[in-house]
mmCIF file of all heavy atoms in Angstrom:
data_model
loop_
_atom_site.group_PDB
_atom_site.id
_atom_site.type_symbol
_atom_site.label_atom_id
_atom_site.label_comp_id
_atom_site.label_asym_id
_atom_site.label_seq_id
_atom_site.Cartn_x
_atom_site.Cartn_y
_atom_site.Cartn_z
ATOM 1 N N GLN H 142 10.235 21.348 -6.119
ATOM 2 C CA GLN H 142 10.641 21.802 -4.789
ATOM 3 C C GLN H 142 11.782 22.810 -4.880
ATOM 4 O O GLN H 142 11.793 23.825 -4.167
ATOM 5 C CB GLN H 142 11.052 20.596 -3.928
ATOM 6 C CG GLN H 142 9.892 19.739 -3.477
ATOM 7 C CD GLN H 142 10.343 18.531 -2.679
ATOM 8 O OE1 GLN H 142 11.544 18.263 -2.550
ATOM 9 N NE2 GLN H 142 9.399 17.788 -2.137
ATOM 10 N N ALA H 143 12.738 22.531 -5.768
ATOM 11 C CA ALA H 143 13.869 23.456 -5.936
ATOM 12 C C ALA H 143 13.393 24.800 -6.484
ATOM 13 O O ALA H 143 13.841 25.869 -6.026
ATOM 14 C CB ALA H 143 14.908 22.839 -6.863
ATOM 15 N N GLU H 144 12.482 24.775 -7.454
ATOM 16 C CA GLU H 144 11.975 26.023 -8.025
ATOM 17 C C GLU H 144 11.165 26.815 -7.001
ATOM 18 O O GLU H 144 11.281 28.048 -6.915
ATOM 19 C CB GLU H 144 11.111 25.708 -9.247
ATOM 20 C CG GLU H 144 11.904 25.136 -10.422
ATOM 21 C CD GLU H 144 11.011 24.780 -11.593
ATOM 22 O OE1 GLU H 144 9.770 24.960 -11.469
ATOM 23 O OE2 GLU H 144 11.531 24.321 -12.627
ATOM 24 N N ILE H 145 10.354 26.107 -6.231
ATOM 25 C CA ILE H 145 9.561 26.785 -5.198
ATOM 26 C C ILE H 145 10.468 27.416 -4.152
ATOM 27 O O ILE H 145 10.278 28.573 -3.737
ATOM 28 C CB ILE H 145 8.583 25.782 -4.548
ATOM 29 C CG1 ILE H 145 7.491 25.381 -5.540
ATOM 30 C CG2 ILE H 145 7.949 26.376 -3.293
ATOM 31 C CD1 ILE H 145 6.621 24.227 -5.066
ATOM 32 N N TRP H 146 11.470 26.670 -3.727
ATOM 33 C CA TRP H 146 12.357 27.191 -2.680
ATOM 34 C C TRP H 146 13.225 28.338 -3.196
ATOM 35 O O TRP H 146 13.571 29.250 -2.439
ATOM 36 C CB TRP H 146 13.241 26.076 -2.132
ATOM 37 C CG TRP H 146 13.849 26.448 -0.813
ATOM 38 C CD1 TRP H 146 15.151 26.712 -0.539
ATOM 39 C CD2 TRP H 146 13.138 26.619 0.422
ATOM 40 N NE1 TRP H 146 15.318 27.032 0.773
ATOM 41 C CE2 TRP H 146 14.095 26.986 1.388
ATOM 42 C CE3 TRP H 146 11.808 26.501 0.795
ATOM 43 C CZ2 TRP H 146 13.748 27.240 2.712
ATOM 44 C CZ3 TRP H 146 11.455 26.745 2.106
ATOM 45 C CH2 TRP H 146 12.418 27.113 3.048
ATOM 46 N N ASP H 147 13.561 28.292 -4.474
ATOM 47 C CA ASP H 147 14.320 29.393 -5.070
ATOM 48 C C ASP H 147 13.520 30.700 -4.987
ATOM 49 O O ASP H 147 14.073 31.753 -4.643
ATOM 50 C CB ASP H 147 14.649 29.061 -6.522
ATOM 51 C CG ASP H 147 15.442 30.165 -7.199
ATOM 52 O OD1 ASP H 147 16.608 30.394 -6.802
ATOM 53 O OD2 ASP H 147 14.906 30.797 -8.125
ATOM 54 N N ARG H 148 12.237 30.632 -5.256
ATOM 55 C CA ARG H 148 11.389 31.829 -5.179
ATOM 56 C C ARG H 148 11.147 32.231 -3.731
ATOM 57 O O ARG H 148 11.061 33.428 -3.412
ATOM 58 C CB ARG H 148 10.069 31.563 -5.904
ATOM 59 C CG ARG H 148 10.250 31.585 -7.426
ATOM 60 C CD ARG H 148 9.188 30.784 -8.149
ATOM 61 N NE ARG H 148 9.373 30.838 -9.610
ATOM 62 C CZ ARG H 148 10.263 30.145 -10.276
ATOM 63 N NH1 ARG H 148 11.102 29.340 -9.652
ATOM 64 N NH2 ARG H 148 10.357 30.260 -11.595
ATOM 65 N N MET H 149 11.070 31.229 -2.854
ATOM 66 C CA MET H 149 10.907 31.539 -1.431
ATOM 67 C C MET H 149 12.142 32.264 -0.905
ATOM 68 O O MET H 149 12.038 33.215 -0.111
ATOM 69 C CB MET H 149 10.691 30.227 -0.653
ATOM 70 C CG MET H 149 10.390 30.416 0.832
ATOM 71 S SD MET H 149 8.773 31.131 1.157
ATOM 72 C CE MET H 149 9.230 32.723 1.829
ATOM 73 N N THR H 150 13.302 31.855 -1.341
ATOM 74 C CA THR H 150 14.549 32.504 -0.934
ATOM 75 C C THR H 150 14.587 33.950 -1.413
ATOM 76 O O THR H 150 15.033 34.852 -0.680
ATOM 77 C CB THR H 150 15.755 31.727 -1.497
ATOM 78 O OG1 THR H 150 15.701 30.370 -1.052
ATOM 79 C CG2 THR H 150 17.061 32.350 -1.034
ATOM 80 N N ALA H 151 14.111 34.181 -2.637
ATOM 81 C CA ALA H 151 14.084 35.546 -3.165
ATOM 82 C C ALA H 151 13.165 36.442 -2.337
ATOM 83 O O ALA H 151 13.472 37.630 -2.104
ATOM 84 C CB ALA H 151 13.627 35.525 -4.619
ATOM 85 N N ILE H 152 12.060 35.894 -1.859
ATOM 86 C CA ILE H 152 11.130 36.678 -1.032
ATOM 87 C C ILE H 152 11.770 37.023 0.308
ATOM 88 O O ILE H 152 11.669 38.156 0.799
ATOM 89 C CB ILE H 152 9.812 35.915 -0.821
ATOM 90 C CG1 ILE H 152 9.080 35.722 -2.149
ATOM 91 C CG2 ILE H 152 8.898 36.661 0.158
ATOM 92 C CD1 ILE H 152 7.838 34.854 -2.044
ATOM 93 N N THR H 153 12.449 36.043 0.913
ATOM 94 C CA THR H 153 13.036 36.283 2.235
ATOM 95 C C THR H 153 14.184 37.293 2.182
ATOM 96 O O THR H 153 14.527 37.885 3.215
ATOM 97 C CB THR H 153 13.553 34.962 2.833
ATOM 98 O OG1 THR H 153 14.493 34.357 1.926
ATOM 99 C CG2 THR H 153 12.410 34.004 3.102
ATOM 100 N N ARG H 154 14.787 37.480 1.028
ATOM 101 C CA ARG H 154 15.832 38.498 0.917
ATOM 102 C C ARG H 154 15.245 39.914 1.010
ATOM 103 O O ARG H 154 15.951 40.863 1.348
ATOM 104 C CB ARG H 154 16.578 38.340 -0.410
ATOM 105 C CG ARG H 154 17.431 37.079 -0.504
ATOM 106 C CD ARG H 154 18.426 37.181 -1.638
ATOM 107 N NE ARG H 154 19.195 35.950 -1.791
ATOM 108 C CZ ARG H 154 19.013 35.060 -2.755
ATOM 109 N NH1 ARG H 154 18.069 35.264 -3.654
ATOM 110 N NH2 ARG H 154 19.762 33.970 -2.827
ATOM 111 N N GLU H 155 13.953 40.017 0.686
ATOM 112 C CA GLU H 155 13.297 41.325 0.706
ATOM 113 C C GLU H 155 12.436 41.529 1.955
ATOM 114 O O GLU H 155 12.327 42.640 2.466
ATOM 115 C CB GLU H 155 12.424 41.494 -0.537
ATOM 116 C CG GLU H 155 13.191 41.401 -1.845
ATOM 117 C CD GLU H 155 12.256 41.499 -3.049
ATOM 118 O OE1 GLU H 155 11.094 41.935 -2.865
ATOM 119 O OE2 GLU H 155 12.689 41.142 -4.165
ATOM 120 N N ARG H 156 11.831 40.434 2.427
ATOM 121 C CA ARG H 156 10.904 40.550 3.549
ATOM 122 C C ARG H 156 11.131 39.427 4.552
ATOM 123 O O ARG H 156 11.438 38.289 4.166
ATOM 124 C CB ARG H 156 9.449 40.494 3.053
ATOM 125 C CG ARG H 156 9.039 41.678 2.201
ATOM 126 C CD ARG H 156 7.695 41.445 1.530
ATOM 127 N NE ARG H 156 6.655 41.013 2.476
ATOM 128 C CZ ARG H 156 5.411 40.706 2.114
ATOM 129 N NH1 ARG H 156 5.063 40.794 0.834
ATOM 130 N NH2 ARG H 156 4.525 40.334 3.013
ATOM 131 N N THR H 157 10.941 39.749 5.818
ATOM 132 C CA THR H 157 11.037 38.742 6.886
ATOM 133 C C THR H 157 9.879 38.885 7.866
ATOM 134 O O THR H 157 10.014 38.552 9.041
ATOM 135 C CB THR H 157 12.372 38.885 7.644
ATOM 136 O OG1 THR H 157 12.485 40.228 8.155
ATOM 137 C CG2 THR H 157 13.556 38.567 6.753
ATOM 138 N N ASP H 158 8.761 39.377 7.397
ATOM 139 C CA ASP H 158 7.601 39.569 8.268
ATOM 140 C C ASP H 158 6.956 38.219 8.584
ATOM 141 O O ASP H 158 7.257 37.194 7.941
ATOM 142 C CB ASP H 158 6.583 40.502 7.595
ATOM 143 C CG ASP H 158 6.225 40.054 6.198
ATOM 144 O OD1 ASP H 158 5.319 39.217 6.059
ATOM 145 O OD2 ASP H 158 6.905 40.510 5.237
ATOM 146 N N PRO H 159 6.055 38.171 9.584
ATOM 147 C CA PRO H 159 5.441 36.898 9.999
ATOM 148 C C PRO H 159 4.722 36.151 8.885
ATOM 149 O O PRO H 159 4.701 34.906 8.880
ATOM 150 C CB PRO H 159 4.461 37.336 11.094
ATOM 151 C CG PRO H 159 5.045 38.582 11.648
ATOM 152 C CD PRO H 159 5.680 39.274 10.487
ATOM 153 N N VAL H 160 4.116 36.862 7.938
ATOM 154 C CA VAL H 160 3.417 36.186 6.849
ATOM 155 C C VAL H 160 4.403 35.404 5.987
ATOM 156 O O VAL H 160 4.137 34.260 5.583
ATOM 157 C CB VAL H 160 2.644 37.208 5.989
ATOM 158 C CG1 VAL H 160 1.959 36.506 4.836
ATOM 159 C CG2 VAL H 160 1.627 37.961 6.828
ATOM 160 N N VAL H 161 5.544 35.983 5.711
ATOM 161 C CA VAL H 161 6.571 35.299 4.913
ATOM 162 C C VAL H 161 7.132 34.107 5.680
ATOM 163 O O VAL H 161 7.347 33.031 5.120
ATOM 164 C CB VAL H 161 7.695 36.287 4.539
ATOM 165 C CG1 VAL H 161 8.858 35.544 3.873
ATOM 166 C CG2 VAL H 161 7.166 37.364 3.616
ATOM 167 N N VAL H 162 7.344 34.298 6.983
ATOM 168 C CA VAL H 162 7.851 33.195 7.809
ATOM 169 C C VAL H 162 6.852 32.037 7.840
ATOM 170 O O VAL H 162 7.236 30.861 7.789
ATOM 171 C CB VAL H 162 8.145 33.701 9.238
ATOM 172 C CG1 VAL H 162 8.511 32.525 10.152
ATOM 173 C CG2 VAL H 162 9.287 34.710 9.220
ATOM 174 N N SER H 163 5.564 32.358 7.919
ATOM 175 C CA SER H 163 4.545 31.309 7.937
ATOM 176 C C SER H 163 4.516 30.548 6.608
ATOM 177 O O SER H 163 4.290 29.335 6.577
ATOM 178 C CB SER H 163 3.170 31.907 8.235
ATOM 179 O OG SER H 163 2.725 32.725 7.165
ATOM 180 N N LEU H 164 4.736 31.254 5.498
ATOM 181 C CA LEU H 164 4.796 30.598 4.196
ATOM 182 C C LEU H 164 5.995 29.661 4.121
ATOM 183 O O LEU H 164 5.888 28.529 3.627
ATOM 184 C CB LEU H 164 4.870 31.634 3.075
ATOM 185 C CG LEU H 164 5.067 31.077 1.654
ATOM 186 C CD1 LEU H 164 3.949 30.120 1.274
ATOM 187 C CD2 LEU H 164 5.162 32.227 0.641
ATOM 188 N N MET H 165 7.130 30.118 4.626
ATOM 189 C CA MET H 165 8.324 29.274 4.628
ATOM 190 C C MET H 165 8.092 28.009 5.452
ATOM 191 O O MET H 165 8.461 26.893 5.030
ATOM 192 C CB MET H 165 9.515 30.055 5.207
ATOM 193 C CG MET H 165 10.807 29.245 5.252
ATOM 194 S SD MET H 165 12.167 30.159 6.003
ATOM 195 C CE MET H 165 12.393 31.456 4.798
ATOM 196 N N SER H 166 7.439 28.166 6.603
ATOM 197 C CA SER H 166 7.141 27.007 7.445
ATOM 198 C C SER H 166 6.198 26.046 6.741
ATOM 199 O O SER H 166 6.387 24.815 6.793
ATOM 200 C CB SER H 166 6.523 27.484 8.767
ATOM 201 O OG SER H 166 6.145 26.380 9.569
ATOM 202 N N ALA H 167 5.207 26.587 6.028
ATOM 203 C CA ALA H 167 4.252 25.732 5.317
ATOM 204 C C ALA H 167 4.941 24.969 4.190
ATOM 205 O O ALA H 167 4.651 23.784 3.963
ATOM 206 C CB ALA H 167 3.114 26.582 4.764
ATOM 207 N N LEU H 168 5.847 25.619 3.485
ATOM 208 C CA LEU H 168 6.566 24.937 2.402
ATOM 209 C C LEU H 168 7.473 23.835 2.938
ATOM 210 O O LEU H 168 7.601 22.770 2.324
ATOM 211 C CB LEU H 168 7.377 25.955 1.599
ATOM 212 C CG LEU H 168 6.563 26.950 0.766
ATOM 213 C CD1 LEU H 168 7.482 27.965 0.103
ATOM 214 C CD2 LEU H 168 5.728 26.222 -0.292
ATOM 215 N N ASN H 169 8.110 24.099 4.071
ATOM 216 C CA ASN H 169 8.925 23.059 4.701
ATOM 217 C C ASN H 169 8.082 21.821 5.022
ATOM 218 O O ASN H 169 8.511 20.682 4.820
ATOM 219 C CB ASN H 169 9.562 23.596 5.989
ATOM 220 C CG ASN H 169 10.860 24.338 5.730
ATOM 221 O OD1 ASN H 169 11.621 23.968 4.851
ATOM 222 N ND2 ASN H 169 11.109 25.387 6.477
ATOM 223 N N GLU H 170 6.869 22.072 5.522
ATOM 224 C CA GLU H 170 5.988 20.955 5.837
ATOM 225 C C GLU H 170 5.565 20.212 4.577
ATOM 226 O O GLU H 170 5.457 18.976 4.577
ATOM 227 C CB GLU H 170 4.751 21.459 6.592
ATOM 228 C CG GLU H 170 3.867 20.338 7.093
ATOM 229 C CD GLU H 170 2.720 20.835 7.955
ATOM 230 O OE1 GLU H 170 2.624 22.065 8.157
ATOM 231 O OE2 GLU H 170 1.923 19.992 8.408
ATOM 232 N N VAL H 171 5.324 20.939 3.494
ATOM 233 C CA VAL H 171 4.966 20.304 2.221
ATOM 234 C C VAL H 171 6.067 19.361 1.773
ATOM 235 O O VAL H 171 5.818 18.208 1.377
ATOM 236 C CB VAL H 171 4.702 21.372 1.138
ATOM 237 C CG1 VAL H 171 4.624 20.723 -0.251
ATOM 238 C CG2 VAL H 171 3.412 22.119 1.431
ATOM 239 N N PHE H 172 7.311 19.821 1.851
ATOM 240 C CA PHE H 172 8.440 18.999 1.411
ATOM 241 C C PHE H 172 8.623 17.787 2.337
ATOM 242 O O PHE H 172 8.933 16.683 1.879
ATOM 243 C CB PHE H 172 9.717 19.829 1.380
ATOM 244 C CG PHE H 172 9.658 20.996 0.422
ATOM 245 C CD1 PHE H 172 10.555 22.059 0.533
ATOM 246 C CD2 PHE H 172 8.704 21.049 -0.591
ATOM 247 C CE1 PHE H 172 10.502 23.124 -0.347
ATOM 248 C CE2 PHE H 172 8.641 22.121 -1.474
ATOM 249 C CZ PHE H 172 9.544 23.162 -1.351
ATOM 250 N N ASP H 173 8.429 17.998 3.644
ATOM 251 C CA ASP H 173 8.547 16.887 4.589
ATOM 252 C C ASP H 173 7.471 15.833 4.341
ATOM 253 O O ASP H 173 7.733 14.630 4.430
ATOM 254 C CB ASP H 173 8.438 17.400 6.027
ATOM 255 C CG ASP H 173 9.651 18.218 6.451
ATOM 256 O OD1 ASP H 173 10.694 18.117 5.777
ATOM 257 O OD2 ASP H 173 9.547 18.969 7.444
ATOM 258 N N MET H 174 6.255 16.284 4.023
ATOM 259 C CA MET H 174 5.164 15.346 3.762
ATOM 260 C C MET H 174 5.429 14.517 2.507
ATOM 261 O O MET H 174 5.050 13.352 2.432
ATOM 262 C CB MET H 174 3.849 16.102 3.622
ATOM 263 C CG MET H 174 3.294 16.686 4.909
ATOM 264 S SD MET H 174 2.891 15.429 6.144
ATOM 265 C CE MET H 174 4.311 15.589 7.249
ATOM 266 N N ALA H 175 6.079 15.116 1.519
ATOM 267 C CA ALA H 175 6.421 14.362 0.304
ATOM 268 C C ALA H 175 7.395 13.231 0.625
ATOM 269 O O ALA H 175 7.260 12.112 0.112
ATOM 270 C CB ALA H 175 7.020 15.302 -0.735
#
Side-chain angles (χ1 to χ4, degrees):
Q142 287 178 354
E144 292 178 359
I145 291 170
W146 197 249
D147 180 67
R148 285 156 179 78
M149 185 70 247
T150 303
I152 296 174
T153 56
R154 291 196 183 105
E155 300 177 16
R156 293 169 51 182
T157 56
D158 52 86
V160 178
V161 172
V162 173
S163 68
L164 175 58
M165 180 183 294
S166 176
L168 291 176
N169 275 324
E170 187 174 0
V171 168
F172 299 162
D173 290 343
M174 289 298 102

